[in-house]
Amino acid sequence: MKKVFIVLGISLVIAACGGPKPGESEGGDTTTATNSAAKAAEPNVDTAVNKIGTDAPASATAKGASLIAGADCTTCHKDHQKIVGPAFADIAKKYTAADEEKLAKKVIAGGSGNWGDIAMSPHPAIKLEDAKEMVKYILSVK
Ligand code: HEC
């Protein structure tokens, strides 16, 4: 019986000694996995934060700019050059944000008188909200 206990004891010691080795390497694996996961997550978080930061100021007028690009406005208007209609930069000098609604309605109704005898064509298909976005962009042109 004693021999059996000794054998059992030895095998327990072996098991105990063998135990920590895979345990250690397992621990190492877990740490490595956590680190690489953390490394993978960090740049994503940073990039997202940076993107939000850089996009925010431009987006206030970006919608209006793309609406203008999709309409016929640029046939008669340019940012810094008078064509048929006044340059957007000149319109921005003449008006303030308080005129936004009035100008949006003028874009929809068309007409002349504020810059001369040439009339702006009416744009009845443009929604007031969209016209306001366009005017917001126009008033931001410097
Ligand atoms: C057919 C040419 C033409 C097109 C197309 C045109 N405009 Fe005009 N726009 C004019 C003219 C001409 C004036 C000057 C009107 C005046 O003297 O009151 C003007 C004036 C304006 C003004 C100033 C209005 C005021 O009372 O001072 C804004 C704002 C404007 N246009 C925006 C736009 C936008 C936005 C579009 C596209 C949806 C557009 N225009 C398309 C010719 C055009």
Side-chain angles (χ1 to χ4, degrees):
M1 283 299 276
K2 268 184 192 171
K3 271 184 189 171
V4 172
F5 280 122
I6 288 162
V7 170
L8 270 178
I10 288 166
S11 61
L12 277 176
V13 169
I14 290 165
C17 287
K21 275 176 197 165
E24 269 168 27
S25 72
E26 262 173 38
D29 284 347
T30 312
T31 313
T32 314
T34 311
N35 283 347
S36 62
K39 268 177 201 162
E42 268 171 34
N44 287 345
V45 170
D46 284 348
T47 314
V49 167
N50 288 342
K51 260 195 177 175
I52 290 163
T54 40
D55 284 354
S59 66
T61 55
K63 194 183 175 194
S66 70
L67 284 170
I68 285 172
D72 67 347
C73 321
T74 50
T75 322
C76 298
H77 294 283
K78 287 236 180 312
D79 276 0
H80 297 107
Q81 194 190 329
K82 179 186 183 291
I83 319 176
V84 180
F88 286 156
D90 291 336
I91 296 173
K93 270 180 216 150
K94 184 170 174 165
Y95 299 102
T96 68
D99 303 306
E100 211 175 275
E101 176 128 2
K102 183 180 77 182
L103 291 173
K105 284 179 177 163
K106 167 90 169 226
V107 169
I108 294 167
S112 63
N114 288 336
W115 298 85
D117 294 333
I118 307 167
M120 169 157 61
S121 51
H123 299 87
I126 295 177
K127 282 183 276 172
L128 183 62
E129 287 162 39
D130 287 349
K132 277 185 186 172
E133 292 292 336
M134 290 170 163
V135 169
K136 227 178 250 176
Y137 165 76
I138 292 169
L139 295 182
S140 79
V141 176
K142 292 201 173 81

